[in-house]
Amino acid sequence: MNRSAPPLPAAMPAPPSTRHPAVRLLLCLLLALAAQALPALLAAALVLPLLRADGVAGRCRTLLRRTRWLLLSLFLVFALGTPGTPLYDHAWSPSREGVFLGLEQCLRLATVLLAVSWLLHRTRPAALAQGLLTLLQPLRYLGLAPERGIARLLLVMRHVDSAEAWPRGQDWRRFLEMPAQEQESVLEVELHPLPGPDRLLLAGMGLGILVLLASPLWLP
């Protein structure tokens, strides 16, 4: 797949001791769905063991700090917009039910952010593309080419990395005015066969995702 972009590293074979990137991707999706379908405390308990991985806690703190205003806005929307028993006698008082609901929704979002932090920390962009391409292979039977979307994803992630490397305090408009690099590069994503254990894991997690998607039919 040829694109005009800065050079990107080719995907390297995954070490034998690690799972296929597709397994980590599907696990992250499963945890994100569990954060919405299961009780908030139970979903958080399922994700907390991911903090034991080296570097995940620091990356999660950074992500939470960057989304602090989103979390605060989410809490205020539920706290002030949910009818119920006022916390104190004032026209602008949040309701007790709204406060608990706002805390619950913030916990659910933080749970998803933790799962995403773990995925991004354990998976390089090239390996992430490899996992996505593996999971999207069934689209070929519909006549779709997932490689185009994967190439765009790699280009976006490359530019995001460039933006994060921009020194803090510098005028962001200077970054947008930088001339585009016109050199040709080749985006390479190597597909590795799924080992038998990983196939079983993907099948089990796929079944879990279907159960979570159908959970509104029997959960209150």
Side-chain angles (χ1 to χ4, degrees), residues 3-27:
R3 293 292 185 274
S4 177
L8 288 172
M12 300 297 292
S17 59
T18 60
R19 295 296 180 186
H20 195 280
V23 175
R24 296 196 292 271
L25 267 171
L26 208 59
L27 176 59

Side-chain angles (χ1 to χ4, degrees), residues 67-80 102 106:
T67 57
R68 62 188 182 276
W69 295 115
L70 174 61
L71 290 168
L72 178 61
S73 302
L74 181 65
F75 173 76
L76 292 177
V77 166
F78 282 97
L80 299 175
C106 288

Side-chain angles (χ1 to χ4, degrees), residues 130-205:
Q130 177 189 343
L132 276 173
L133 191 57
T134 300
L135 294 176
L136 296 178
Q137 285 303 301
L139 294 180
R140 294 182 180 278
Y141 297 104
L142 302 178
L144 302 177
E147 292 87 356
R148 295 179 180 273
I150 300 300
R152 291 186 177 92
L153 174 64
L154 285 174
L155 291 173
V156 169
M157 296 186 72
R158 176 65 178 86
H159 288 297
V160 167
D161 290 339
S162 300
E164 289 183 348
W166 187 254
R168 299 188 63 180
Q170 296 288 334
D171 190 352
W172 57 270
R173 285 168 295 205
R174 290 181 56 193
F175 176 78
L176 297 179
E177 294 170 357
M178 292 176 60
Q181 301 184 22
E182 298 296 336
Q183 63 187 37
E184 281 294 315
S185 64
V186 177
L187 305 181
E188 297 181 0
V189 178
E190 298 181 5
L191 276 179
H192 298 281
L194 282 166
D198 287 351
R199 290 178 182 270
L200 293 177
L201 285 174
L202 287 179
M205 287 188 290

